[in-house]
Amino acid sequence: MFNRLPKGLIEEIETLKIKHLFKKRQYIYKASEIPQGFYFIKKGFVGLVFACENGNDHFLRFFKGNQLLGHRSFLAEEIYHASALCLEDTEVFFIDKKNAGYLLKKYPDFSSMLLKNLAQELGKCEIHRVKFSEKEVIQRAAESIVYLFEFYPEYKWTRLEIAQYCESTPTTIVKVLSKLESMGYIKQMGHKILILNKDALLRL
Amino acid sequence: MFNRLPKGLIEEIETLKIKHLFKKRQYIYKASEIPQGFYFIKKGFVGLVFACENGNDHFLRFFKGNQLLGHRSFLAEEIYHASALCLEDTEVFFIDKKNAGYLLKKYPDFSSMLLKNLAQELGKCEIHRVKFSEKEVIQRAAESIVYLFEFYPEYKWTRLEIAQYCESTPTTIVKVLSKLESMGYIKQMGHKILILNKDALLRL
DNA sequence: CGAATACTTGATCCGCATCAAGTGCCGTGG
DNA sequence: CCACGGCACTTGATGCGGATCAAGTATTCG
């Protein structure tokens, strides 16, 4: 499911020594800026946030250590359509245009991996779009918390962030969570959420 | 905006002489089948249809002459997530796995074009997903008819198809269209729809 | 010309966003 | 270590957009 970067590529990226450190809540880049390259995340946790005209934020994708970031906009030759927000302190290497070209030449597998990854992400996005438009909020929320808590279990996901991932609102998420708890599928302890029955959540 | 296929590639594809003809309403491939290659559309018109569990169909993307089809699933190495339905009589060339590998090697620009296209499609899909989840149906419908009628003006788009593109229902689309007509932005003649004020539709 | 398909209209209903008015948690500083 | 302030969460009341249903009418195509 996860497609590895070619052997040697990561080492080579790290020799470029263009490391940047970002604190939690800092932006690595912001929507509408022009990509000058892309990023490799050494460690940390980043959310891609799309800001709607009406002020609502939506999470598009999440990234953690050993993943690329910002390559979509760079490859599409478009401005960033969303902002990269650090959800934890994060350490990245920056690969500028020149190095990107060099690496793509040197590692043909890198290019195929990007092709495959983008093709898979596009598929996931299309399915997400259609399924989420059909499902009720309780199904969307259940599926989302399973996904989010599997992707980054240590992170303290808030009701707002869950809402921003599944096209809902904090108030509604609270009500859904309490319903899911009454069904025995999750448990809430303080602000913390515990998944008790993953299969049941996905079967809703 | 449209990224051209490398010079010579199309000619080479056509020499393969693996041409297939499909009638309107026929499927070129169906969801869950395993890709054995991808297609180049010589002429015609194809809709990519995702079937939801509850029986509702959704249009994901559309394809016409001089475009590739089925390359996403092929490159992602996944089964088809949707079905390719001919909306007009369609003529395609099939490029099997072997030829695909050969062409990708011979035309390095082909690979970059695919990268760029997939990256752009992913961006479009993410924006679509988020924006359509926020907007009211009249805005979604207005934007959709502008898009659909620009993409393929000659095609007689039905209310059902518009609904299947903008996550709505035929009944609602009918009501929206009559409202848009009363606002003077479109005109309906029989089943035909005429766009009178594209800018106003997009500004809704 | 007839049948099938596409469209139309009004009535009803429900999910969920929104609003308001709270309570509870939790990290920070004294 | 406790108090305090702010943020996150909670709950109930309300309203509305749009899906659904039903019962038609119109158009188009063979």
Side-chain angles (χ1 to χ4, degrees):
Chain A
M1 153 69 265
F2 177 69
N3 305 298
R4 273 219 139 30
L5 290 159
K7 194 109 190 80
L9 176 62
I10 295 176
E11 287 74 10
E12 188 144 1
I13 286 174
E14 298 193 354
T15 64
L16 298 174
K17 291 239 187 299
I18 318 187
K19 200 201 285 196
H20 296 268
L21 294 173
F22 293 91
K23 287 267 162 212
K24 183 171 179 165
R25 260 171 269 254
Q26 277 190 310
Y27 287 93
I28 298 178
Y29 60 76
K30 289 208 173 187
S32 86
E33 291 175 1
I34 299 169
Q36 305 296 340
F38 57 89
Y39 300 86
F40 172 77
I41 301 176
K42 179 66 183 165
K43 66 187 285 282
F45 187 32
V46 180
L48 189 60
V49 181
F50 184 92
C52 268
E53 296 140 9
N54 62 4
N56 288 346
D57 284 345
H58 295 257
F59 279 117
L60 297 179
R61 278 174 280 154
F62 297 96
F63 305 88
K64 52 189 178 184
N66 272 325
Q67 293 192 310
L68 297 179
L69 169 68
H71 51 301
R72 192 211 61 80
S73 300
F74 177 71
L75 293 168
E77 300 175 37
E78 296 170 348
I79 57 175
Y80 291 121
H81 68 328
S83 306
L85 172 66
C86 294
L87 302 175
E88 300 278 337
D89 290 2
T90 296
E91 203 179 310
V92 301
F93 289 96
F94 180 68
I95 298 105
D96 65 17
K97 223 170 275 204
K98 205 158 70 181
N99 282 318
Y102 161 71
L103 292 171
L104 280 166
K105 274 239 167 56
K106 177 158 179 190
Y107 299 94
D109 286 358
F110 183 30
S111 172
S112 354
M113 188 220 66
L114 285 170
L115 264 182
K116 183 170 172 180
N117 273 353
L118 286 173
Q120 288 179 341
E121 284 298 327
L122 176 55
K124 273 163 58 177
C125 183
E126 290 185 325
I127 291 172
H128 182 106
R129 147 156 105 76
V130 167
K131 283 206 176 163
F132 273 37
S133 80
E134 292 262 327
K135 291 188 178 175
E136 311 213 322
V137 73
I138 191 166
Q139 300 172 297
R140 302 205 308 271
E143 193 178 322
S144 297
I145 60 178
V146 169
Y147 172 74
L148 295 173
F149 282 80
E150 288 205 334
F151 187 82
Y152 211 100
E154 315 88 66
Y155 185 70
K156 291 172 63 69
W157 296 100
T158 66
R159 276 74 181 151
L160 173 60
E161 286 165 337
I162 296 169
Q164 288 174 340
Y165 184 67
C166 71
E167 267 74 81
S168 181
T169 60
T171 311
T172 299
I173 295 299
V174 166
K175 288 169 185 169
V176 164
L177 288 178
S178 91
K179 186 160 186 191
L180 290 175
E181 185 166 28
S182 78
M183 293 195 246
Y185 298 163
I186 66 167
K187 181 147 183 50
Q188 300 185 79
M189 311 181 57
H191 291 172
K192 207 168 156 45
I193 298 165
L194 235 71
I195 291 179
L196 300 180
N197 191 337
K198 171 182 151 185
D199 293 339
L201 289 173
L202 295 179
R203 245 185 290 109
L204 280 173
Chain B
M1 144 85 254
F2 177 68
N3 305 297
R4 271 218 140 29
L5 289 159
K7 192 106 190 87
L9 177 61
I10 295 176
E11 286 74 11
E12 188 145 0
I13 287 175
E14 299 194 356
T15 63
L16 299 173
K17 293 239 187 299
I18 318 188
K19 200 201 287 196
H20 295 268
L21 295 173
F22 292 92
K23 285 271 166 210
K24 182 171 179 169
R25 260 170 269 253
Q26 277 191 307
Y27 288 93
I28 297 178
Y29 60 76
K30 289 207 173 191
S32 85
E33 291 175 1
I34 300 169
Q36 305 295 342
F38 57 90
Y39 300 86
F40 172 76
I41 301 176
K42 179 65 184 165
K43 64 187 285 285
F45 187 32
V46 179
L48 189 59
V49 180
F50 184 92
C52 268
E53 297 141 9
N54 61 4
N56 288 348
D57 284 344
H58 296 257
F59 280 116
L60 298 179
R61 278 174 282 155
F62 297 96
F63 305 87
K64 53 188 178 184
N66 271 324
Q67 293 192 312
L68 298 179
L69 168 70
H71 51 302
R72 193 211 61 80
S73 300
F74 177 72
L75 293 168
E77 299 175 36
E78 295 170 349
I79 57 175
Y80 291 119
H81 68 328
S83 306
L85 173 65
C86 294
L87 302 175
E88 299 279 335
D89 291 1
T90 298
E91 203 179 310
V92 301
F93 289 96
F94 180 68
I95 298 106
D96 66 18
K97 222 170 273 202
K98 204 157 71 177
N99 282 320
Y102 161 72
L103 292 172
L104 280 166
K105 272 233 169 63
K106 176 157 179 191
Y107 299 94
D109 287 358
F110 183 30
S111 173
S112 353
M113 188 219 67
L114 285 171
L115 263 181
K116 183 171 174 182
N117 275 352
L118 286 173
Q120 289 179 342
E121 284 299 325
L122 176 55
K124 274 164 57 179
C125 183
E126 291 185 324
I127 291 172
H128 182 106
R129 148 156 104 77
V130 167
K131 282 203 173 166
F132 273 38
S133 80
E134 292 262 327
K135 292 187 177 175
E136 310 213 321
V137 73
I138 191 166
Q139 300 172 298
R140 303 206 307 271
E143 194 179 324
S144 297
I145 59 177
V146 169
Y147 171 74
L148 296 172
F149 282 79
E150 288 206 334
F151 187 82
Y152 211 101
E154 316 86 66
Y155 185 69
K156 291 171 65 68
W157 296 100
T158 67
R159 277 75 180 150
L160 172 61
E161 286 164 337
I162 295 169
Q164 288 174 338
Y165 184 67
C166 72
E167 267 76 78
S168 181
T169 61
T171 311
T172 299
I173 294 299
V174 166
K175 288 169 184 167
V176 164
L177 287 179
S178 91
K179 188 162 184 189
L180 290 176
E181 185 166 28
S182 78
M183 295 196 246
Y185 298 162
I186 65 167
K187 180 145 183 52
Q188 300 184 80
M189 310 179 58
H191 291 174
K192 205 168 160 43
I193 298 165
L194 235 72
I195 291 179
L196 300 180
N197 191 338
K198 171 183 152 184
D199 293 339
L201 290 173
L202 295 179
R203 245 186 288 109
L204 279 174

